[in-house]
Amino acid sequence: MQTTNIFSFHGGIHPPENKAQSLTLPLGHPSLPKELILPLSQHIGQSSRPLVNQGEQVLKGQAVAINNGFLSSFLHAPTSGTITAIEERVIAHPSGLSDLCIVIEPDGNDCWTERKPLDDWRRISKTDVLSYLAEMGIVGMGGAGFPTQVKLQGAHKHPLTHFIINAAECEPYITADDMLIREKAEQLVLGIEVLQHLVEADQVIIGIEDNKPQAIAALNNALAQHNNTIQVAVVPTKYPSGGEKQLIQLLTGKEVPSGQHPADIGILCQNVGTCVAVHDSIYLGQPLITRFTTLTGDALKAPQNVEVLLGTPVKHLLDYAQATHKKISRLVMGGPMMGFTLNSIDAPIVKTSNCILAASKKELPAPAPEQACIRCGMCEQACPASLLPQQLLWFSKSQEFEKAEHYNLFDCIECGACSYVCPSSIPLVQYYRHTKSSIREAREAAVKSDLAKQRFEARKARQEAEAAEKEAKRLARQKTSTQKTEGKATETKKATPAAETKTAIPDESKKLKVDIALAKNKLKKLQKQLVEAQENEHVEEINHLQLQVTEQEKTLSLLEQQLEKMATTPAEKSTKAAPAPVNEELKKAKIDVALIGAKLKKAQKQLAESPDDNELKANVRELEKGLAQAQSLLDRLTSSTAAQKADTPQKASSKPTVNDDLKKAKIDLAIAKAAVKKVEKALKKAEELKAPESGTLRQQLQEAQQRADSLEKALSNPQTQSPATEATKSNASTDESAAQKEQIKKQKIASAMAKAAINKLKKRLAAEPDQAESIQQEIAAAEKRQQEADALLAQLTQSQDTM
Amino acid sequence: MALLRITSPHTQRAGRRTSWVMLMVILATIPGIAVQSWLFGWGTLINLAIAAITALLSEAAVLTMRRRSVAFYLKDYSALLTAVLLGIALPPSVPWWVTVTAVAFAVIFAKQLYGGLGNNPFNPAMVGYAIVLVSFPVPMTQWVGASDMVSSGSMLSLSQSLQAIFHHLPSIDSYTMATPLDGFKHKDSLSSTAAFNSIASLKGANLNSWLFINGAYLLGGLILLALRIITWHTPVAVLSSLSVISGVFYLIDPNHAATPWFHLTTGAAMFGAFFIATDPVTSCTSNRGKLVYGTGIGILIYVIRTWGGYPDGIAFGVLLMNFAAPLIDYYTQPRTYGHKKAKKGLTIKEDN
């Protein structure tokens, strides 16, 4: 066995360990509780989807909930019994809120479902092993509950140099991992072997704090028996050496770059509990249904570690450990440094519950009143992330969020070391949490307000268009009554505004097109980011990005609708917009007349009072002249608008029926396309998990695609026909170009699809090198397809440009 | 059963509260106070008593006016610490009203008017000291001499000290003499060797008494370091920059410049480096910042001692660097975990 270099990290604290209490008794096995409560959200990511209904009988180990998307997990019945409810129950969460839970009433038989160990895990493809682990509901058991298969997939991005098993357990009071290693060292080693087989790291290191001599001995013993290359690195006891980033620094001397993940520097961390769970699932076929949990605290008469079924209510465990309920002043799930308080003893144990600390008032007294920060810098000396906590406090208090971010607030791991040492009893971590969430909220609000602004502007444009349309119709109606009287007089005048509007409309549509292109670009970018975030496990970002993507999609479809409207009714539009400038002038002229009239009246009155005033007389004369001019202008304008109205209906009436059909067809097409997309997505997911449904899904996809294709054809037909029904040349040309555009779009889609296919194949190639040849052929074919599509696309765009 | 619901962490380091920090600093001055009293008589202790009473009364008065809990804030001992530092810094025979002025100004104006503990930009004790130094230069420069050097040949008795402080002691001149720094400053054109031979205040006995005092404060400072109440950065930076700059000038002109040893063992060098410059509220926060801050103080001390108008420069050096502390802080942020470089300044830039 090699020895590894141990490095050091900045700061850290040495709180009283309080680990002896829970290690005096051997591992306990509590009896079956009256009911088991399984929250659907025990892990990071989307909550699972229940597979069972109320009243159903389930066997031990039977899956009761399936993963819901990429970042999610399975759930299994911890014992056999009846599903009594699927309802909101209090869960173990810092918020103290309720969440949807599957409630199982045990029948007491503890009857297993059929267990299928994965004996040939060395031979079958790694993807299959990963999907098996996903089906077994394995998540990280150290704290966050990150779905293990996702983490392992992420580890493939870079060649792994280090695979670190976190057995540091630096939090005071907790001894669950210590006990787990003592009890199951062999299983742990076998589990690590499975994981190492999956990730193939250069070095496998178990990091463990030097305050667990028995566990270290058990580990060395197990490793000696298995003659393994796994190293044990004993690190000095210092909180928070068990933090992922800190342990990596301790064992490798490397730092995980800010905002990145250990996988980005070729390191993977797994908790010991996870490794044992992997062993149990692969070798025994047992899904994750139990875990080791420490029951400790002064309020318990028999503090100890227990192997407990998931879903066991905390109350049951407290009774098992002979709790004096009156003595419990604070009930913490997790350790005293990073755990959270429970406000109900009915909350259940979940996959990540490593400790229940039932503390008496004396043990964890209420915090002392906060005093002023004297900037003593003790927090700074303790901070494992080398932050300046006192400055961050200052910025948090004064809500200078930009400065707080500049001082790397988001690199805070909330370990609590600063609060622990603060002589002024300032709850620093709480300030940081609040500031972080405020900043996140502000970011989200900024995105939302941007979108709202875009929506508002689009709505305004739409409303204006509608108003203009209405106005045009109104004028058309009015015109029919006055048509005969003043028909010919103003034919010459009408020509100019019409020309103006013709240029205005293409301008607008051009602008819209640019907008659409921009929106599409943004959407693509966002989608890319989303995929990246999912791959990189940025849980916070995923929801945020999802929101943005959907919003962007909405705006895009809105814009496209608008463009469609404009493209299909250019003629209508041109007449619609025409009267607007004339109307303006008309209004102005009317106002002028009224104004001058009023002035004239006033002057005349004055003149009547003092008839000898020459100045007034001159004034009146001038005003009369002005009035006459204004009146003549008004007359001219009214006659011209009236003449214009005469022309509108002929153009307006021609298209609507064709347009309606077209619209309908387009909508149908959009629906079909959406269906295709949906099925494609489902297929992708199924493929990822190697689920059996993938065959049927593929069929569905083909059907949906056919439907979409036929619709598209149908759509292109009326489009080519419609110009024939309308005699005007301009319309014909625009529709022709629209058809061409449609074709271009189609080619673009084809090219994009080919590209996607290539990418997918390449991925598969990386995952399954044994099928390399056939896949490579497929890739070549797809590339050819793409090239063809690209060539055609280029041709089309060229011809469009020349038009 | 009502369960307490608060966020993590749920424990705190036992015992080490702000009041404990202040108390430890006060206690760490005891060796220095003892040596000072042994060498210069009762004056320092009487000063301390006057200063303590003034500080507590002024603090209580302002807290009452600000409608804050008087007991809660008096119990943090910060006012008391300001009083102790001033009581030590003021000459042992200074009239009572000088002490009262200094302390009251320090507590009321330099501390409470800025918002109380933690919010004052300037070291309150040094603001109080500077005010009286500028306002009452004569009593402030009368320092009791070592007993076998002064003309009376003895130390002030308790009654004489009380008389000097509260009333007027006509024979005070026979008990006082210039401090070594004062003496060296006024050696005029004499060369260093001649000055050390001829000027009384630069004789071995007087130098030794200041050596003892500085040694005692060094001891107190080391206690603070051991207790991790202060870090080594500021005192080491102050003392090393003071010795480096004095060493450079001594090498350039050994005839007229004093040795680094002289600068480190006279005046308030150790007291300033360990007890004044390390005031956490007004100094820099990051370790690198503390180094810059301390270096600045060391250089300013030498500059003021050598070319300035006052014999010692701790107070002004510290106050001037207090001005610069926020700026230094912006440019001396530590490199955070996971970042390639430390951030500098306040330009909000892309992450590195």
Side-chain angles (χ1 to χ4, degrees):
Chain A
M1 200 182 63
Q2 304 154 273
T3 48
T4 41
N5 281 334
I6 305 294
F7 299 83
S8 164
F9 65 89
H10 181 266
I13 53 172
H14 299 275
E17 285 175 29
N18 282 311
K19 297 212 181 212
Q21 297 97 308
S22 52
L23 287 170
T24 48
L25 288 173
L27 181 69
H29 296 274
S31 59
L32 274 177
K34 278 199 205 104
E35 60 176 15
L36 292 167
I37 305 154
L38 295 171
L40 287 172
S41 188
Q42 306 200 2
H43 47 264
I44 278 187
Q46 276 122 328
S47 48
S48 317
R49 266 180 301 151
L51 282 175
V52 288
N53 292 316
Q54 197 175 338
E56 215 171 293
Q57 293 286 325
V58 291
L59 292 173
K60 183 170 187 167
Q62 183 184 331
V64 292
I66 192 171
N67 63 351
N68 186 10
F70 181 64
L71 198 66
S72 186
S73 182
F74 275 68
L75 266 183
H76 302 82
T79 185
S80 58
T82 320
I83 308 289
T84 52
I86 299 177
E87 61 184 15
E88 299 252 313
R89 289 290 184 97
V90 175
I91 57 158
H93 190 270
S95 67
L97 292 175
S98 305
D99 196 16
L100 209 56
C101 300
I102 296 177
V103 185
I104 299 174
E105 191 185 302
D107 56 13
N109 298 329
D110 215 23
C111 183
W112 271 99
T113 181
E114 195 193 343
R115 275 172 281 184
K116 287 181 227 147
L118 202 65
D119 295 324
D120 53 353
W121 56 271
R122 278 182 200 277
R123 266 168 288 135
I124 63 172
S125 88
K126 287 174 186 170
T127 339
D128 288 349
V129 181
L130 284 181
S131 65
Y132 178 80
L133 290 181
E135 276 167 41
M136 286 294 161
I138 313 281
V139 303
M141 290 166 79
F146 200 89
T148 301
Q149 79 279 3
V150 181
K151 197 167 181 176
L152 292 174
Q153 269 173 4
H156 279 296
K157 274 191 298 188
H158 299 272
L160 278 193
T161 55
H162 295 82
F163 172 30
I164 292 172
I165 291 93
N166 190 344
E169 199 164 57
C170 57
E171 275 248 14
Y173 286 99
I174 309 179
T175 53
D177 287 352
D178 189 359
M179 184 55 89
L180 182 77
I181 299 170
R182 292 188 200 183
E183 295 277 326
K184 298 192 168 181
E186 200 171 320
Q187 287 93 319
L188 170 62
V189 173
L190 291 174
I192 295 171
E193 277 179 3
V194 174
L195 290 172
Q196 163 66 359
H197 166 73
L198 292 177
V199 299
E200 293 169 346
D202 300 340
Q203 261 186 308
V204 186
I205 311 173
I206 303 176
I208 186 164
E209 274 191 349
D210 58 8
N211 59 0
K212 304 177 194 43
Q214 286 194 43
I216 296 169
L219 259 183
N220 283 332
N221 199 12
L223 289 176
Q225 278 177 15
H226 287 267
N227 188 22
N228 221 285
T229 50
I230 302 169
Q231 305 163 34
V232 176
V234 181
V235 300
T237 301
K238 178 163 93 168
Y239 179 84
S241 63
E244 191 175 58
K245 292 176 170 177
Q246 277 63 44
L247 191 63
I248 287 171
Q249 199 174 11
L250 275 172
L251 299 186
T252 68
K254 291 185 198 168
E255 291 182 10
V256 182
S258 174
Q260 292 188 32
H261 290 269
D264 296 320
I265 52 168
I267 294 174
L268 172 74
C269 271
Q270 287 290 352
N271 177 262
V272 278
T274 319
C275 299
V276 172
V278 167
H279 164 270
D280 288 351
S281 63
I282 299 271
Y283 283 92
L284 310 174
Q286 290 179 8
L288 180 53
I289 52 169
T290 67
R291 70 156 295 136
F292 278 51
T293 297
T294 305
L295 307 177
T296 187
D298 272 359
L300 304 181
K301 285 203 192 86
Q304 59 185 294
N305 279 289
V306 288
E307 184 169 13
V308 60
L309 293 179
L310 299 182
T312 307
V314 170
K315 181 177 188 306
H316 185 75
L317 296 177
L318 291 178
D319 290 338
Y320 176 77
Q322 300 165 32
T324 322
H325 284 277
K326 273 191 187 162
K327 263 182 93 178
I328 305 176
S329 80
R330 217 187 297 193
L331 190 60
V332 181
M333 184 170 274
M337 294 305 297
M338 290 186 79
F340 55 91
T341 50
L342 299 175
N343 64 347
S344 164
I345 53 173
D346 298 323
I349 295 289
V350 293
K351 290 176 180 177
T352 53
S353 313
N354 49 6
C355 178
I356 298 293
L357 171 55
S360 67
K361 212 167 198 168
K362 210 176 135 201
E363 197 174 14
L364 296 183
E370 180 183 338
Q371 285 173 277
C373 170
I374 54 167
R375 298 169 27 109
C376 62
M378 290 184 191
C379 46
E380 183 200 340
Q381 307 303 328
C383 180
S386 304
L387 295 166
L388 288 175
Q390 69 276 55
Q391 299 296 86
L392 290 174
L393 170 72
W394 192 263
F395 299 141
S396 295
K397 273 185 154 179
S398 55
Q399 307 199 327
E400 292 172 275
F401 294 150
E402 275 198 338
K403 283 190 191 170
E405 268 191 87
H406 182 65
Y407 272 69
N408 302 325
L409 175 65
F410 279 93
D411 288 300
C412 169
I413 57 169
E414 297 178 20
C415 67
C418 49
S419 304
Y420 177 78
V421 298
C422 180
S424 290
S425 313
I426 303 170
L428 291 157
V429 180
Q430 198 166 337
Y431 277 105
Y432 306 151
R433 283 199 193 104
H434 178 258
T435 308
K436 278 184 187 176
S437 56
S438 301
I439 293 174
R440 282 195 202 109
E441 236 170 74
R443 279 185 196 161
E444 260 165 50
V447 172
K448 271 187 192 158
S449 77
D450 266 6
L451 291 171
K453 200 176 154 202
Q454 281 173 19
R455 270 204 303 271
F456 171 73
E457 273 161 9
R459 180 166 172 266
K460 220 168 87 181
R462 205 172 59 237
Q463 280 176 335
E464 272 167 14
E466 275 166 12
E469 198 172 359
K470 247 186 207 166
E471 181 69 10
K473 277 183 188 158
R474 194 182 62 77
L475 289 174
R477 260 181 273 119
Q478 219 175 56
K479 188 238 106 200
T480 41
S481 55
T482 51
Q483 194 184 12
K484 284 166 192 171
T485 49
E486 2 184 358
K488 291 168 195 169
T490 51
E491 243 175 5
T492 44
K493 277 234 162 177
K494 172 202 69 183
T496 39
E500 268 170 30
T501 47
K502 245 181 209 167
T503 51
I505 292 282
D507 264 3
E508 216 171 309
S509 77
K510 215 182 249 170
K511 221 171 115 192
L512 259 178
K513 270 177 202 165
V514 171
D515 278 353
I516 287 177
L518 280 177
K520 267 187 189 166
N521 234 340
K522 205 170 161 193
L523 180 63
K524 241 183 224 166
K525 229 180 185 170
L526 280 172
Q527 275 168 338
K528 211 171 160 192
Q529 275 177 350
L530 181 63
V531 171
E532 252 169 41
Q534 275 177 344
E535 275 175 8
N536 291 336
E537 307 151 11
H538 290 303
V539 185
E540 283 164 18
E541 271 174 43
I542 289 176
N543 290 329
H544 181 62
L545 279 169
Q546 191 71 58
L547 191 92
Q548 276 181 282
V549 168
T550 43
E551 293 281 355
Q552 190 61 31
E553 274 170 352
K554 257 190 226 161
T555 38
L556 182 60
S557 65
L558 212 113
L559 278 171
E560 260 169 345
Q561 269 175 20
Q562 240 178 296
L563 180 66
E564 212 170 89
K565 226 192 215 163
M566 205 170 280
T568 49
T569 57
E572 218 175 317
K573 270 270 169 84
S574 68
T575 50
K576 257 186 263 164
V582 185
N583 269 349
E584 279 297 297
E585 271 183 72
L586 193 65
K587 233 183 228 166
K588 229 165 111 190
K590 270 183 189 166
I591 291 168
D592 276 352
V593 172
L595 264 175
I596 295 170
K599 267 189 205 165
L600 183 63
K601 247 181 210 163
K602 210 168 148 195
Q604 276 170 344
K605 224 183 197 175
Q606 276 175 337
L607 191 61
E609 275 164 23
S610 50
D612 302 328
D613 198 330
N614 279 332
E615 213 176 298
L616 267 177
K617 267 180 200 163
N619 222 345
V620 168
R621 235 174 283 135
E622 224 165 87
L623 279 172
E624 274 169 344
K625 223 193 244 168
L627 183 61
Q629 265 173 13
Q631 193 72 48
S632 72
L633 185 68
L634 181 61
D635 285 344
R636 218 163 58 218
L637 279 170
T638 34
S639 59
S640 85
T641 43
Q644 225 165 39
K645 283 166 210 157
D647 276 3
T648 42
Q650 289 168 350
K651 282 184 187 171
S653 59
S654 53
K655 277 196 88 180
T657 50
V658 185
N659 274 344
D660 272 0
D661 278 351
L662 208 59
K663 227 181 231 169
K664 230 165 140 191
K666 271 187 188 167
I667 288 166
D668 278 352
L669 177 61
I671 289 170
K673 270 186 187 166
V676 172
K677 245 183 214 165
K678 217 164 150 190
V679 178
E680 262 180 341
K681 239 187 214 167
L683 181 61
K684 214 170 164 190
K685 241 179 237 165
E687 269 174 355
E688 263 163 25
L689 296 173
K690 295 284 168 210
E693 311 97 288
S694 67
T696 54
L697 278 174
R698 212 165 266 160
Q699 218 172 349
Q700 274 181 6
L701 176 63
Q702 271 168 5
E703 277 171 29
Q705 209 126 32
Q706 269 169 16
R707 229 181 306 144
D709 284 347
S710 65
L711 271 170
E712 213 156 357
K713 257 180 226 159
L715 182 60
S716 56
N717 280 346
Q719 270 183 341
T720 46
Q721 282 163 15
S722 55
T725 60
E726 292 152 56
T728 45
K729 268 184 192 172
S730 62
N731 272 352
S733 72
T734 49
D735 265 358
E736 220 169 65
S737 72
Q740 201 154 15
K741 260 176 219 149
E742 200 67 28
Q743 251 180 313
I744 290 176
K745 215 189 242 168
K746 246 156 95 187
Q747 280 312 320
K748 271 187 190 162
I749 288 167
S751 143
M753 260 163 64
K755 263 185 209 162
I758 293 170
N759 278 346
K760 221 156 134 194
L761 285 168
K762 275 187 187 158
K763 250 184 214 164
R764 240 175 80 200
L765 182 60
E768 304 163 43
D770 40 344
Q771 292 173 20
E773 255 181 59
S774 64
I775 294 176
Q776 226 135 28
Q777 273 171 10
E778 280 182 70
I779 289 179
E783 269 171 347
K784 209 170 164 190
R785 242 183 298 150
Q786 197 212 331
Q787 275 164 8
E788 276 168 17
D790 277 350
L792 200 58
L793 182 63
Q795 214 179 319
L796 277 169
T797 33
Q798 220 172 22
S799 71
Q800 194 200 15
D801 287 347
T802 50
M803 242 171 50
Chain B
M1 181 184 62
L3 292 171
L4 186 62
R5 281 188 49 71
I6 51 174
T7 59
S8 65
H10 302 282
T11 60
Q12 266 192 311
R13 183 153 64 183
R16 298 199 152 205
R17 300 278 75 87
T18 296
S19 53
W20 177 86
V21 171
M22 298 291 172
L23 197 59
M24 284 305 121
V25 180
I26 293 172
L27 294 180
T29 58
I30 285 178
I33 293 171
V35 173
Q36 234 169 299
S37 305
W38 168 56
L39 288 169
F40 302 133
W42 296 94
T44 309
L45 293 176
I46 299 167
N47 278 352
L48 284 172
I50 298 170
I53 293 165
T54 314
L56 293 179
L57 285 180
S58 352
E59 177 109 330
V62 182
L63 286 172
T64 317
M65 279 191 269
R66 292 178 64 202
R67 296 186 194 169
R68 302 292 157 105
S69 158
V70 175
F72 179 76
Y73 286 101
L74 284 188
K75 267 192 269 172
D76 65 23
Y77 299 134
S78 61
L80 202 59
L81 177 59
T82 305
V84 168
L85 297 180
L86 265 172
I88 291 167
L90 294 173
S93 62
V94 78
W96 65 271
W97 43 268
V98 173
T99 314
V100 169
T101 308
V103 174
F105 196 86
V107 170
I108 296 171
F109 287 89
K111 180 177 160 194
Q112 286 293 348
L113 284 194
Y114 282 107
L117 180 63
N119 296 310
N120 46 305
F122 304 108
N123 189 323
M126 289 304 102
V127 172
Y129 185 86
I131 283 288
V132 288
L133 182 63
V134 173
S135 311
F136 318 115
V138 176
M140 285 299 287
T141 43
Q142 271 183 339
W143 196 281
V144 180
S147 51
D148 46 351
M149 298 279 300
V150 291
S151 54
S152 65
S154 67
M155 247 171 18
L156 283 166
S157 68
L158 178 58
S159 61
Q160 279 173 318
S161 298
L162 286 172
Q163 204 187 339
I165 289 169
F166 287 106
H167 186 58
H168 175 64
L169 188 65
S171 59
I172 186 74
D173 284 348
S174 61
Y175 293 93
T176 60
M177 64 184 293
T179 62
L181 282 173
D182 221 357
F184 194 81
K185 189 167 194 70
H186 296 111
K187 73 179 173 62
D188 296 330
S189 56
L190 279 176
S191 76
S192 292
T193 27
F196 278 99
N197 286 328
S198 60
I199 297 176
S201 58
L202 292 176
K203 292 269 170 63
N206 202 27
L207 287 176
N208 276 345
S209 57
W210 284 99
L211 172 65
F212 296 151
I213 290 170
N214 273 296
Y217 283 117
L218 173 63
L219 176 68
L222 293 178
I223 294 171
L224 290 184
L225 270 179
L227 287 171
R228 302 202 175 189
I229 287 172
I230 58 171
T231 62
W232 57 267
H233 304 84
T234 314
V236 165
V238 172
L239 297 177
S240 51
S241 68
L242 178 58
S243 28
V244 166
I245 190 169
S246 54
V248 167
F249 280 99
Y250 180 70
L251 287 179
I252 292 171
D253 184 9
N255 273 334
H256 290 99
T259 59
W261 179 251
F262 176 81
H263 277 289
L264 290 180
T265 57
T266 54
M270 293 295 168
F271 178 66
F274 283 96
F275 289 89
I276 301 297
T278 54
D279 168 38
V281 177
T282 56
S283 68
C284 288
T285 54
S286 67
N287 292 343
R288 287 200 300 146
K290 285 178 196 162
L291 288 175
V292 176
Y293 174 78
T295 308
I297 292 176
I299 292 168
L300 282 171
I301 290 174
Y302 185 82
V303 168
I304 296 169
R305 278 182 181 182
T306 315
W307 300 291
Y310 295 94
D312 205 351
I314 306 281
F316 291 110
V318 168
L319 288 176
L320 284 172
M321 288 311 286
N322 283 165
F323 275 109
L327 181 74
I328 297 170
D329 271 342
Y330 285 138
Y331 286 89
T332 52
Q333 299 175 41
R335 183 187 66 84
T336 307
Y337 179 101
H339 290 257
K340 284 200 202 83
K341 280 191 301 187
K343 287 190 178 167
K344 283 217 166 86
L346 251 190
T347 344
I348 314 289
K349 277 185 288 199
E350 275 294 292
D351 226 339
N352 49 49

